[in-house]
Amino acid sequence: MKTLFSDLYKKANTGFWPIVIAFVFMIVGTVTLFQNPRSLGSFLVLMTTPVILYFMKMPMKIKVFIGLLIVVIILPVIGIKNIFILEVIFQMAVFAALALGLNIVIGMAGLLDLGYVAFYAVGAYAWAIFGSKQMSLLYSIPGAAPANAEFFLDARWFWLFLFLGIGLAALTGILLGLPVLRVKGDYLAIVTLGFGEVIRVLALNLDKPINLTNGPQGITPIQRPPLPPEGVLMFFRSFLEPLVGHEVSDAEFYNVMFYFLALIIIAIVIVVATRLEDSRIGRAWTAIREDETAAIAMGIPLVKMKLAAFAAGASFAGAMGALYAANRTFVSPETFSFQVSIGVLTMVILGGLGSIPGVIFGASAVTLLNIQILQNLSLYLSDLRQSDAVIPIINFAWKDLSNQLDPAKYQKLVFGIILILMMIFRPSGLIPAERRQRELGEEKE
Amino acid sequence: MALLQTNNVVKRFGGLIAVNKMTFSVDAGKIVSIIGPNGAGKTTFFNTLTGIYTPEEGQIQFKDHSLIGLRPDQVAATGIARTFQNIRLFGSMTVLENILVGMHIQLKQNAVDTIFRSKKFHEEEKDAEQRAKELMAFVGLKNVGNELARNLPYGGQRRIEIARALAATPTLLLLDEPTAGMNPNESEDAIKLFRRIRDEKGITILMIEHDMRVVMGISEHISVMDYGEKIAEGSPAEIRSNQRVIEAYLGRGAAVAHEQKA
Amino acid sequence: MKQIAANPVYKFFLFPIGQILLFALGASVVLSLATVLLAYLFKFNVTDFDLVERTMLLLPQVIINGLTIGFVYSTIALGYTMVYGVLEFINFSHSEIFMVGGIVGIQLMAYFEHIGVLATMNEYLVITLAILLALVVSGALAVTVERVAYKPLRGAPKLVPLISAIGMSFFLQDIVRLILSLTTGEFNVILPKFGTFDEFWKIAIPGMEEPLRIQTKSVLIVGVAMLMLVILNFLVNGTKVGKAIRAVAQDRPSASLMGINVNQIISITFLIGGALGGAAGVLFALKATKLDPFSGFFPGLKAFTSAVLGGIGNLTGALLGGLVLGLLESFSASYLGIFTNGAFGAEYKDIFAFAVLIIVLIFRPSGLLGQTVGQKV
Ligand SMILES: Nc1ncnc2c1ncn2[C@@H]1O[C@H](COP(=O)(O)OP(=O)(O)O)[C@@H](O)[C@H]1O
Ligand SMILES: [Mg+2]
């Protein structure tokens, strides 16, 4: 059976077949999704295409072409037709960026950071506080905002805060790392976990003595950066509207814009991460991960390099935080719970520690699982409950199924199972990291 | 003046005095050995030299630096490189990358160079790769640059560890039992390699060694440790006939027997 | 003198109890003095009343609260520290083992209430049964968890079992939630009302207007925790198994060469640690009166902090660490608000505990009672 499959795969993976397969998946996914924008199946078919591109043999140019086609044209257009798809993709992108950042810390440098979400929170709250009316409400009681409060900054300041988010998060990483990274590696997990909680507790309670965070209610509305000028929008409308068959609203343009912003951030993260990895810095991180004693004996300053990893990882989360705050126009402490940190960890572990394609895959898969598959399963179960269906042999009526059985609420269970199973059976992840092979010009034997 | 000079170095673990009042020196350009029974404190002495342990008492002078209080990476930066008794390679990195890690101190690229792939970055990496290849050839490894270090056989791993240490272009190379686990042929090659390191690269070598053929065949000066103390030193010939050394190695009875035979 | 020391009654009973009392007293006195000193410093900050007087007045109650929660932390911390001592591994899921103990205990009481016998049973019998059940369930669960999720990973890089343990912690939280939800329809469990535990002992203190009020519960919690600690001390220091545990903790390869069954000893370590955690869960439930599947998280984090504070791997250290942390928490919860005139209140007590952890790690990385052992190179 197994050989049959691998034979088949080998045959399919030669000549022009991979290109055909990739195109088939892309076209079938796109067409069915276009007709039926809520279909999970079609979405999965379309999302399989990048996996095919990654694994199967075909010329690089074609890979890039198909990839760009999907990312730059197909997804936004479908996303305008069905906003939910774009929402899913945006979340995937946010988590992919977070996972790539965490991957530097844990995958490359081997530092188990369980409070990663704190850096995300720093970026998000930075723009939330300054990009909302919060600065005018510092001395008012939460919930009792005067109606005439003004936005503190113009919406265009967002672009600056995208960078400030990077800097602030990196600074926070260094401030936390300085005392903590000297201690034994074991403790790092707990200390960072505690730090994540500290940031959350601060967000919850800094509504007094001055109202900085508006406490548990969170901050809203937060401004979005302005859309491109009307002329540009008109240009896009002229060919988008016939395609999707309805007028494209500003809200939809906003979604597309945030989608592209997230993509740009991811692209930058990937470039920076791969370049760092294949350099003196990245090699030092890997050396530290493999054997601290040997690394320091080679002249690698441990604390400094660990701080660098912490700061680099944190900075990506900071940028994503600012973007997230603007996208949601709302932040609250509950967005930054411990569960999110573990969720991102799960993505990294599932995909493969230290493996950039793996981590992106892990982030996409887990996000999809969380907000699509579990959700759909919940809906499906609740449909069954309302029906008269009965499981045949054991004679169980779906009606009697407890309404507590709601898969969407059991993310922790899913994370837990993934983490345990991966550690036991595949600790290097589904797409394990590979070391770069170089052209060494050595004679082959 | 000696290249490395220690003075009354003491290192304790709880009640155990692992290194006791070691006064010891290595002259530039020499191959020097430390021998002694297991648990004598040789490795611990290396660890105090390289900053992994901080000695409770004593001074360590290398060139014109005092090494006391320096972190291991700072010690490495003064020009001391080492290998470990139980090989400590970066197993999941390639052989080439292991050697590149050894060049950490020399490489000058910073984060900006790295992220923007500046000309400086490319030139430096190319140069480093070239040097790494030369080092692999120097220690006698072929066609393994892209192999993961952990996949190499034992002897190969020992060589990479030496190449990695050499990559730091040290003045002083510390080798902790470099021929442990080798067969006589391999030891023979190792001796040749050590000589070439000293003769061709001008690197001073201080090594801990158990294999007497290696020690006697290559060392120009030998110190003997037992129970944390230096009990003897001298040329190979002097050490061979030293009473206390024979006692330390073979026990008292054997020493008496040896004396009678002689 | 030597004879006294060798006397088992002294060695396994008087000495540990004396030590516990000494720690409790010592930590209370030190913290009280520090607080009174702070009260003098912050006096200017508060004008409506005399800060020093108010501080003194609250002190006895604060100490009692602190010791009560401190003993719970100590009991949980022992589980962390034992496992760490033997495996050098942070057993992340210990907080859930603890939570399961508490929930199982409450469920037993709820069951008694359901069948209508709770009101007529001897209250101490109820507590004893609940604790026994929690001991068994949590101990068994801890051993199972070790077998399933940690044992296959022995010898893997350190990060691997640690991540598996984090996964186990999440898994257990939601599994308990699922089981509770499917069986009872909701996942909060509430301690039924019974007995006289909520009543207060009133002790008049000369020179004070108000009498000191100690809840029967607090006395019970402290009493049971002390009993556990004494039993544990006997197990570890007075039995063959305890000797084997210590041997494995010190040097696993040698212990194995000496014919000690290392796997078995590791299981026993998890059993003891888990059982203690379960018992602590019931004690905590008595105090908290309401648990849910996520209630283990914070006490677990605090208990781990206690273990580190005392010097991880060191049993006496865990005891001391727990007491100190419990007291610190109680002090900060009561005094932060008063000292800062309401700007910062009890909600910062968790941050306070965390700050303590960081400070300890910076200045005494091996904890209050730990000794530094350099790693072998
Ligand atoms: N980190 C350590 N902690 C405690 N004891 C140690 C440590 N490192 C070495 N020792 C002890 O110090 C003594 C000397 O060991 P070592 O230097 O390794 O000897 P050698 O290399 O000469 O065989 C031994 O008794 C060893 O057990
Ligand atoms: Mg040695």
Side-chain angles (χ1 to χ4, degrees):
Chain A
M1 191 61 196
K2 210 172 165 186
T3 54
L4 183 73
F5 262 124
S6 65
D7 281 353
L8 210 62
Y9 180 76
K10 254 183 221 147
K11 279 219 185 82
N13 200 11
T14 49
F16 57 87
W17 280 112
I19 304 175
V20 173
I21 296 172
F23 263 102
V24 167
F25 268 82
M26 180 183 79
I27 290 167
V28 169
T30 308
V31 170
T32 54
L33 202 53
F34 212 77
Q35 284 164 346
N36 188 1
R38 290 228 155 244
S39 160
L40 176 62
S42 312
F43 186 61
L44 285 178
V45 169
L46 183 60
M47 291 317 283
T48 310
T49 324
V51 181
I52 294 171
L53 292 181
Y54 180 76
F55 279 109
M56 297 185 91
K57 276 189 219 123
M58 59 189 106
M60 200 59 203
K61 272 186 191 152
I62 295 185
K63 285 189 180 187
V64 172
F65 173 73
I66 302 181
L68 283 180
L69 197 64
I70 294 178
V71 168
V72 180
I73 296 177
I74 296 180
L75 285 179
V77 172
I78 291 180
I80 290 175
K81 207 163 150 64
N82 173 14
I83 219 142
F84 185 67
I85 296 279
L86 210 55
E87 167 60 25
V88 173
I89 303 263
F90 178 73
Q91 295 238 10
M92 281 183 175
V94 169
F95 281 111
L98 290 179
L100 283 166
L102 183 62
N103 182 49
I104 291 185
V105 185
I106 163 166
M108 295 190 198
L111 307 168
L112 186 51
D113 179 356
L114 299 182
Y116 189 63
V117 76
F119 305 126
Y120 184 43
V122 166
Y125 266 96
W127 177 237
I129 290 170
F130 289 97
S132 68
K133 298 172 177 167
Q134 198 60 28
M135 287 305 276
S136 329
L137 305 176
L138 285 182
Y139 298 100
S140 55
I141 298 156
N148 57 355
E150 299 272 330
F151 280 113
F152 182 66
L153 294 175
D154 186 85
R156 271 168 297 188
W157 281 86
F158 170 77
W159 303 113
L160 179 67
F161 272 79
L162 210 48
F163 289 94
L164 274 184
I166 295 178
L168 269 177
L171 191 68
T172 317
I174 290 173
L175 287 182
L176 171 71
L178 264 177
V180 161
L181 290 172
R182 292 171 201 281
V183 308
K184 240 165 97 181
D186 285 337
Y187 295 161
L188 188 66
I190 294 281
V191 174
T192 49
L193 187 165
F195 174 70
E197 285 302 310
V198 166
I199 294 284
R200 201 176 57 86
V201 171
L202 285 179
L204 267 174
N205 292 304
L206 278 183
D207 49 357
K208 66 187 171 79
I210 54 166
N211 184 8
L212 205 58
T213 64
N214 210 29
Q217 297 168 22
I219 299 176
T220 196
I222 301 165
Q223 296 183 91
R224 303 173 142 191
L227 283 174
E230 192 56 31
V232 179
L233 296 188
M234 283 313 283
F235 167 74
F236 280 111
R237 278 208 179 95
S238 65
F239 65 86
L240 277 176
E241 284 176 359
L243 259 176
V244 297
H246 64 86
E247 206 174 301
V248 183
S249 67
D250 274 4
E252 283 160 341
F253 270 125
Y254 260 120
N255 283 314
V256 176
M257 181 173 87
F258 276 107
Y259 163 74
F260 276 111
L261 280 176
L263 272 191
I264 291 169
I265 293 183
I266 296 228
I268 294 173
V269 174
I270 292 177
V271 169
V272 171
T274 32
R275 290 189 167 182
L276 283 176
E277 185 176 29
D278 191 13
S279 78
R280 172 177 180 262
I281 297 173
R283 289 190 295 263
W285 284 338
T286 314
I288 291 173
R289 183 189 75 200
E290 295 275 302
D291 186 338
E292 289 196 1
T293 305
I296 198 169
M298 295 300 113
I300 296 170
L302 289 188
V303 174
K304 200 171 141 200
M305 292 314 291
K306 285 181 178 179
L307 272 179
F310 238 58
S315 61
F316 296 147
M320 238 20 189
L323 186 70
Y324 180 86
N327 175 267
R328 294 290 125 127
T329 69
F330 169 65
V331 296
S332 82
E334 286 322 301
T335 318
F336 308 104
S337 65
F338 178 55
Q339 187 175 336
V340 178
S341 286
I342 298 300
V344 178
L345 175 70
T346 307
M347 296 164 186
V348 176
I349 297 289
L350 180 71
L353 272 175
S355 153
I356 288 170
V359 165
I360 295 173
F361 173 78
S364 312
V366 173
T367 310
L368 204 60
L369 191 70
N370 271 344
I371 61 176
Q372 271 267 36
I373 298 176
L374 290 183
Q375 217 65 274
N376 280 15
L377 214 58
S378 285
L379 288 178
Y380 180 68
L381 280 182
S382 87
D383 279 351
L384 275 179
R385 257 181 227 120
Q386 320 219 315
S387 70
D388 289 328
V390 172
I391 302 178
I393 299 157
I394 57 168
N395 225 0
F396 179 82
W398 282 108
K399 260 204 284 279
D400 300 337
L401 187 72
S402 164
N403 59 2
Q404 296 291 327
L405 191 64
D406 181 356
K409 288 188 182 149
Y410 287 91
Q411 290 182 13
K412 285 186 164 188
L413 190 75
V414 175
F415 293 164
I417 292 175
I418 293 179
L419 289 177
I420 299 171
L421 291 183
M422 291 306 289
M423 285 302 103
I424 295 178
F425 296 108
R426 221 181 143 94
S428 55
L430 292 180
I431 306 178
E434 280 172 17
R435 301 308 303 183
R436 180 163 85 96
Q437 300 287 306
R438 298 169 192 247
E439 281 303 323
L440 292 177
E442 294 172 302
E443 73 266 34
K444 289 278 165 264
E445 280 157 61
Chain B
M1 204 192 86
L3 179 66
L4 175 77
Q5 173 74 50
T6 77
N7 219 330
N8 285 321
V9 168
V10 176
K11 174 67 206 167
R12 299 192 189 91
F13 294 112
L16 177 88
I17 306 181
V19 175
N20 196 3
K21 299 235 157 85
M22 274 292 280
T23 297
F24 174 86
S25 69
V26 177
D27 287 334
K30 289 269 166 20
I31 297 180
V32 176
S33 293
I34 299 180
I35 62 171
N38 261 328
K42 306 179 296 293
T43 299
T44 305
F45 182 56
F46 263 28
N47 286 339
T48 58
L49 294 180
T50 50
I52 289 174
Y53 298 145
T54 312
E56 276 86 26
E57 293 168 31
Q59 291 93 41
I60 303 172
Q61 191 78 17
F62 176 66
K63 294 191 260 187
D64 44 8
H65 315 271
S66 165
L67 299 187
I68 298 289
L70 295 192
R71 292 190 312 262
D73 54 306
Q74 294 168 325
V75 173
T78 65
I80 299 183
R82 71 173 289 180
T83 66
F84 295 88
Q85 180 171 348
N86 42 347
I87 304 173
R88 295 186 91 132
L89 286 170
F90 307 116
S92 74
M93 299 174 92
T94 65
V95 170
L96 187 93
E97 285 172 323
N98 266 275
I99 297 173
L100 291 178
V101 171
M103 296 178 195
H104 186 89
I105 301 167
Q106 273 91 50
L107 299 186
K108 295 288 169 258
Q109 49 182 274
N110 57 26
V112 177
D113 295 321
T114 304
I115 290 169
F116 294 100
R117 294 277 130 133
S118 66
K119 197 169 151 220
K120 174 173 151 198
F121 176 88
H122 282 294
E123 281 171 1
E124 191 177 73
E125 283 285 294
K126 218 175 120 199
D127 182 54
E129 200 174 295
Q130 185 56 37
R131 273 188 52 219
K133 278 195 276 188
E134 285 164 15
L135 278 171
M136 280 190 279
F138 183 81
V139 299
L141 287 169
K142 257 195 230 146
N143 299 323
V144 293
N146 280 327
E147 299 276 341
L148 294 190
R150 63 161 171 260
N151 293 342
L152 253 63
Y154 183 82
Q157 294 196 5
R158 283 258 176 236
R159 285 164 197 265
I160 304 170
E161 222 194 0
I162 291 173
R164 184 180 70 181
L166 290 176
T169 56
T171 334
L172 175 65
L173 178 63
L174 307 186
L175 304 170
D176 195 346
E177 302 198 15
T179 69
M182 288 187 177
N183 64 33
N185 276 339
E186 288 169 330
S187 299
E188 204 55 44
D189 287 346
I191 292 180
K192 283 182 198 141
L193 175 61
F194 301 154
R195 282 230 173 81
R196 281 174 53 223
I197 291 173
R198 197 266 308 265
D199 298 343
E200 292 173 24
K201 296 191 180 288
I203 296 173
T204 310
I205 295 180
L206 169 61
M207 68 174 163
I208 296 171
E209 191 44 78
H210 268 310
D211 186 335
M212 280 306 145
R213 264 168 312 175
V214 176
V215 174
M216 295 300 166
I218 191 174
S219 315
E220 287 145 4
H221 191 87
I222 300 175
S223 294
V224 189
M225 281 182 80
D226 195 18
Y227 293 109
E229 292 184 42
K230 185 172 77 179
I231 57 168
E233 65 180 326
S235 68
E238 285 162 357
I239 292 301
R240 229 190 299 256
S241 57
N242 184 302
Q243 196 60 31
R244 283 191 72 187
V245 176
I246 297 162
E247 268 173 39
Y249 267 90
L250 304 172
R252 223 174 188 320
V256 174
H258 183 90
E259 208 166 54
Q260 283 164 354
K261 228 165 55 188
Chain C
M1 193 62 215
K2 226 175 183 174
Q3 245 166 4
I4 301 176
N7 183 336
V9 176
Y10 171 81
K11 192 169 162 198
F12 297 122
F13 193 73
L14 292 179
F15 176 73
I17 290 190
Q19 197 179 31
I20 294 171
L21 292 178
L22 186 74
F23 282 170
L25 194 71
S28 309
V29 168
V30 170
L31 277 174
S32 304
L33 286 178
T35 310
V36 172
L37 200 70
L38 280 177
Y40 273 108
L41 289 178
F42 277 80
K43 213 170 163 175
F44 67 91
N45 205 11
V46 186
T47 43
D48 343 353
F49 52 85
D50 184 354
L51 188 61
V52 179
E53 199 184 305
R54 173 72 68 96
T55 304
M56 300 283 228
L57 228 71
L58 285 173
L59 214 45
Q61 203 59 56
V62 172
I63 293 176
I64 287 166
N65 291 346
L67 288 178
T68 313
I69 191 70
F71 271 105
V72 175
Y73 289 161
S74 295
T75 318
I76 313 171
L78 284 166
Y80 281 111
T81 230
M82 282 185 70
V83 167
Y84 195 91
V86 169
L87 285 177
E88 281 217 7
F89 155 69
I90 300 174
N91 181 13
F92 244 89
S93 65
H94 190 59
S95 50
E96 278 57 51
I97 306 280
F98 154 82
M99 170 275 291
V100 166
I103 287 185
V104 165
I106 293 187
Q107 292 295 78
L108 183 73
M109 298 177 205
Y111 174 73
F112 286 152
E113 187 182 39
H114 179 70
I115 59 172
V117 298
L118 187 67
T120 55
M121 277 171 87
N122 179 318
E123 48 193 304
Y124 292 98
L125 179 65
V126 174
I127 299 283
T128 310
L129 289 177
I131 290 181
L132 284 179
L133 183 68
L135 279 172
V136 172
V137 172
S138 290
L141 183 62
V143 172
T144 315
V145 163
E146 195 270 332
R147 280 287 154 85
V148 173
Y150 310 153
K151 197 175 166 198
L153 306 175
R154 231 173 268 158
K158 267 191 153 176
L159 225 51
V160 171
L162 194 56
I163 290 172
S164 181
I166 294 169
M168 190 41 97
S169 159
F170 262 42
F171 175 79
L172 287 175
Q173 287 180 15
D174 258 5
I175 273 290
V176 170
R177 172 180 174 174
L178 186 66
I179 293 172
L180 283 176
S181 302
L182 289 182
T183 52
T184 68
E186 69 156 332
F187 58 81
N188 290 310
V189 292
I190 296 164
L191 185 76
K193 279 216 178 319
F194 69 102
T196 56
F197 300 120
D198 293 330
E199 287 166 13
F200 286 91
W201 300 5
K202 296 204 174 72
I203 304 170
I205 297 179
M208 281 226 211
E209 287 167 36
E210 294 271 316
L212 179 60
R213 290 149 52 88
I214 304 179
Q215 217 174 3
T216 315
K217 253 181 205 179
S218 303
V219 180
L220 185 76
I221 291 171
V222 171
V224 174
M226 277 173 73
L227 182 69
M228 296 282 159
L229 298 173
V230 170
I231 295 175
L232 178 77
N233 177 57
F234 175 72
L235 274 180
V236 173
N237 292 319
T239 64
K240 239 178 124 174
V241 170
K243 211 172 188 176
I245 292 179
R246 280 177 293 145
V248 173
Q250 211 151 65
D251 186 344
R252 200 180 328 159
S254 307
S256 162
L257 286 177
M258 302 301 237
I260 293 174
N261 182 341
V262 172
N263 279 331
Q264 194 188 1
I265 292 301
I266 290 175
S267 289
I268 292 176
T269 308
F270 273 87
L271 180 73
I272 298 175
L276 274 175
V282 177
L283 299 181
F284 183 76
L286 284 179
K287 196 169 161 58
T289 69
K290 185 180 141 261
L291 290 185
D292 64 51
F294 315 110
S295 319
F297 183 76
F298 273 107
L301 191 56
K302 302 281 178 55
F304 181 80
T305 304
S306 310
V308 174
L309 188 63
I312 197 155
N314 179 326
L315 297 184
T316 321
L319 170 67
L320 178 63
L323 293 178
V324 170
L325 198 76
L327 284 166
L328 269 175
E329 195 179 305
S330 169
F331 272 77
S332 52
S334 303
Y335 290 121
L336 262 176
I338 305 179
F339 280 18
T340 59
N341 224 346
F344 300 97
E347 60 277 9
Y348 286 93
K349 69 181 204 287
D350 294 340
I351 292 192
F352 208 76
F354 175 71
V356 170
L357 175 68
I358 298 229
I359 291 168
V360 169
L361 285 178
I362 296 171
F363 293 105
R364 251 195 99 78
S366 46
L368 295 174
L369 297 187
Q371 70 253 53
T372 29
V373 180
Q375 59 153 339
K376 278 201 177 185
V377 175

